[in-house]
Amino acid sequence: MKRIAFLTAALLLVMSILTSCIIPLNKKFRFKKERVESIEVYDLCQCKNTEGSSFLETESPVYEIPEEALDDFLTDLTEIRFSDALVLLPIPQDPSFWYGTWTLRINYIDGSYQLLSNCGYGQTFDARGEITDTHHFSCDNEEWEALIGKYLPEEAFQHRH
């Protein structure tokens, strides 16, 4: 009986190892600058609910990137490498659904917008506010904060440090 239990456990372990796979994914976001109308920065440090886009109902942006800085900001943003992992498991796994403390709302001229943060969750919405896409890419926290700190006025950025 012990031998059958051991063989069963060993077989399950081998099957689990063979069927589990992690595939790293990397992405650099690209933006058509002529389509971007504005970029708003949200500080969600004190926000009680950063799950999904619900923070848009209770939070206001702390800063809007000036129009004359949009091209430079988007260029810098495209240099940040975001990553995710495609995990193939025989059991379901929930990805992140929370936004990070610094979250961007990129507004497009057609009324659609995209939410992007460093914490592994992002959404794209059409002009009616309906979700058209989600992703689970995250980036390095220090690199993200350096980007935000480069464009935010010092008083808006430094109050948290």
Side-chain angles (χ1 to χ4, degrees):
M1 189 63 155
K2 286 183 182 181
R3 184 178 171 138
I4 293 174
F6 175 77
L7 288 174
T8 303
L11 181 62
L12 288 173
L13 178 64
V14 169
M15 286 178 47
S16 158
I17 290 171
L18 293 176
T19 59
S20 301
C21 183
I22 298 175
I23 303 169
L25 304 171
N26 294 308
K27 178 178 185 156
K28 287 191 174 183
F29 285 93
R30 301 286 178 223
F31 302 93
K32 293 182 180 176
K33 295 174 184 178
E34 64 277 0
R35 289 190 56 228
V36 175
E37 183 175 48
S38 66
I39 300 176
E40 300 167 333
V41 180
Y42 288 82
D43 178 358
L44 303 181
C45 183
Q46 301 297 322
C47 184
K48 293 188 187 329
N49 186 8
T50 60
E51 184 177 351
S53 60
S54 62
F55 71 87
L56 292 173
E57 298 168 11
T58 59
E59 301 296 316
S60 298
V62 294
Y63 189 68
E64 185 172 322
I65 304 298
E67 188 174 338
E68 61 272 7
L70 278 179
D71 284 352
D72 292 337
F73 185 88
L74 288 169
T75 298
D76 290 346
L77 180 57
T78 61
E79 294 303 313
I80 294 180
R81 184 177 63 86
F82 287 79
S83 59
D84 190 9
L86 180 60
V87 180
L88 304 175
L89 294 172
I91 57 173
Q93 178 184 6
D94 286 334
S96 169
F97 290 100
W98 290 269
Y99 283 100
T101 53
W102 292 113
T103 298
L104 301 178
R105 178 178 169 154
I106 302 168
N107 298 303
Y108 296 101
I109 57 174
D110 65 358
S112 64
Y113 60 94
Q114 180 176 7
L115 298 174
L116 186 63
S117 79
N118 60 320
C119 278
Y121 189 56
Q123 296 172 294
T124 303
F125 298 83
D126 63 18
R128 296 182 316 258
E130 301 290 324
I131 297 172
T132 60
D133 189 31
T134 61
H135 70 81
H136 298 280
F137 286 89
S138 62
C139 68
D140 180 74
N141 288 338
E142 290 178 13
E143 193 175 8
W144 186 255
E145 287 210 3
L147 170 71
I148 301 297
K150 181 177 178 179
Y151 290 91
L152 247 63
E154 191 171 328
E155 62 276 3
F157 187 71
Q158 292 300 329
H159 83 277
R160 294 205 14 230
H161 291 67

